[in-house]
């Protein structure tokens, strides 16, 4: 029987700087044990069935399948979210959007809409921090919607409403104090689409027209119809799209337009306030 240490040495099957860490994560999954077990028991012998499961995961990872899809989950904010290949894999970049939303001085029962919620990451992170906000997540893909609902139930965040929607269609007649979104924003021709995890993620959650801005343009154009007076729109976007997104927001009539930087120092989230018709 192979030991923990010997199995971890098989991480050479994986490419990249993260190989060792990924092998640890996959071995933990196969053993159903925490990471500390690997450190404490390098010489422990691993059951044949668990070793086989691990090697299967390692081979799938070596073929490029993202770790999050192999495990069926990903940590986001303080939550463990179910994910599958119908959903984008929640990223640390998007935690910036959550942080920015939490900084806003909204009323205790504020209404919030998450457009294109995917696994429900943003909506559920906000709900976990602001239980009294009235949060709705909408999603076009029925498979992703199913995952978002499952996540809401598993995390005990049952008050978040999830609806199938083509952007705003399912919330007709409603107005929100805050609209947030991590929409698709990658250009069709972007070479990154054929590398790394992006190859396995749903194209509909990644790609948005020739310059990546089709959906962002649509959301900015439409959002005022769905915002309360002084309501705010908060959007994640590509690291080089900040100035364009700010210009789109200003041209549409948003005020207090600003961007926030991610950990890498890139403008990643932009926002604006809608004063309301006739109020500016
Ligand atoms: N942040 C992702 C990336 O650039 C893309 C996510 C998106 O299009 N919303 O890898």
């Amino acid at each position: 029987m192979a030991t923990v240490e010997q199995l971890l040495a098989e991480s050479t099957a994986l490419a990249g700087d993260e190989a060792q860490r990924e092998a640890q994560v996959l071995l933990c999954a196969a053993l159903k044990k925490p990471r500390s077990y690997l450190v404490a028991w390098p010489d422990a012998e691993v059951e044949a069935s668990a070793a086989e499961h691990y090697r299967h995961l390692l081979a799938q990872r070596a073929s490029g399948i993202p770790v999050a899809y192999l495990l069926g989950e990903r940590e986001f904010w303080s939550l463990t979210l179910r994910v599958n290949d119908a959903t984008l894999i929640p990223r640390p970049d998007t935690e910036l959007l959550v942080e920015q939303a939490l900084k806003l001085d909204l009323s205790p029962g504020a209404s919030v809409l998450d457009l294109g919620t995917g696994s429900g990451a943003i909506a559920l992170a906000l709900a976990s921090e602001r239980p009294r906000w009235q949060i709705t997540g909408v999603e076009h893909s029925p498979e992703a919607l199913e995952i978002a609902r499952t996540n809401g139930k598993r995390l005990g965040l049952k008050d978040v409403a999830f609806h199938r929607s083509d952007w705003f269609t399912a919330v007709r007649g409603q107005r929100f104090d805050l609209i947030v979104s991590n929409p698709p924003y990658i250009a069709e021709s972007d070479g990154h689409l054929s590398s790394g995890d992006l190859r396995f993620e749903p194209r509909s959650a990644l790609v948005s027209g020739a310059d990546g801005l089709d959906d962002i343009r649509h959301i900015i154009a439409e959002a005022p119809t769905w915002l309360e007076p002084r309501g705010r729109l908060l959007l994640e976007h590509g690291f080089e799209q900040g100035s364009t997104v700010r210009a789109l927001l200003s041209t549409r009539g948003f005020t207090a337009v600003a961007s926030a930087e991610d950990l890498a120092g890139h403008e990643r989230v932009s926002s604006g306030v809608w004063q309301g018709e006739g109020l500016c």
Side-chain angles (χ1 to χ4, degrees):
M1 277 199 282
T3 64
V4 162
E5 195 169 26
Q6 285 163 346
L7 289 171
L8 287 177
E10 294 178 23
S11 68
T12 46
L14 304 181
D17 307 338
E18 296 285 285
Q20 185 62 24
R21 192 191 59 82
E22 290 183 355
Q24 288 173 358
V25 168
L26 298 178
L27 186 53
C28 288
L31 290 170
K32 298 192 175 60
K33 298 257 196 250
R35 200 99 149 252
S36 53
Y37 177 88
L38 309 182
V39 180
W41 306 105
D43 299 327
E45 297 202 326
V46 175
E47 295 268 346
S49 59
E52 193 185 327
H53 183 196
Y54 164 73
R55 288 186 175 122
H56 179 64
L57 291 172
L58 209 57
Q60 287 182 297
R61 178 65 192 130
S63 78
I65 301 176
V67 173
Y69 290 161
L70 292 175
L71 303 181
E73 60 183 41
R74 171 53 47 106
E75 302 290 321
F76 178 79
W77 202 249
S78 59
L79 312 174
T80 302
L81 294 167
R82 286 272 164 95
V83 294
N84 68 16
D85 60 8
T87 68
L88 197 73
I89 300 167
R91 289 166 166 71
D93 296 338
T94 307
E95 292 178 341
L96 174 68
L97 190 151
V98 172
E99 247 170 63
Q100 295 296 311
L102 293 175
K103 276 189 195 161
L104 300 173
D105 186 22
L106 300 187
S107 65
S111 54
V112 180
L113 174 64
D114 177 18
L115 290 168
T117 195
S119 61
I122 299 170
L124 294 169
L126 294 178
S128 73
E129 299 285 343
R130 297 285 184 273
R132 292 174 65 195
W133 283 5
Q134 308 290 311
I135 304 176
T136 303
V138 296
E139 172 56 47
H140 194 248
S141 149
E143 294 83 15
L145 187 63
E146 188 63 37
I147 295 284
R149 287 184 172 142
T150 302
N151 280 325
K153 284 196 198 107
R154 291 184 75 235
L155 296 165
L157 299 167
K158 297 191 192 75
D159 291 340
V160 178
F162 289 111
H163 302 296
R164 175 127 198 255
S165 185
D166 183 6
W167 296 126
F168 296 96
T169 54
V171 294
R172 226 169 268 292
Q174 295 183 51
R175 292 206 178 241
F176 298 89
D177 298 304
L178 170 66
I179 297 176
V180 295
S181 185
N182 171 20
Y185 52 69
I186 300 179
E188 276 159 2
S189 58
D190 192 317
H192 293 101
L193 291 166
S194 50
S195 68
D197 288 359
L198 293 179
R199 290 170 295 169
F200 296 85
E201 293 179 282
R203 251 186 108 76
S204 60
L206 295 172
V207 177
S208 188
D211 61 356
L213 289 163
D214 282 4
D215 288 298
I216 286 182
R217 273 190 288 266
H218 176 75
I219 291 169
I220 291 175
E222 286 278 307
T225 308
W226 318 92
L227 281 170
E228 295 282 6
R230 286 173 294 283
R232 188 179 285 265
L233 176 62
L234 206 55
L235 292 172
E236 180 175 326
H237 50 71
F239 75 106
E240 291 173 324
Q241 292 171 336
S243 59
T244 311
V245 173
R246 286 195 300 279
L248 287 166
L249 285 164
S250 300
T251 305
R252 181 67 182 87
F254 282 86
T255 59
V257 171
S259 300
E261 291 180 359
D262 62 20
L263 293 173
H266 298 127
E267 289 174 341
R268 179 62 69 179
V269 169
S270 293
S271 69
V273 174
W274 183 250
Q275 294 297 341
E277 303 296 346
L279 289 178
C280 22

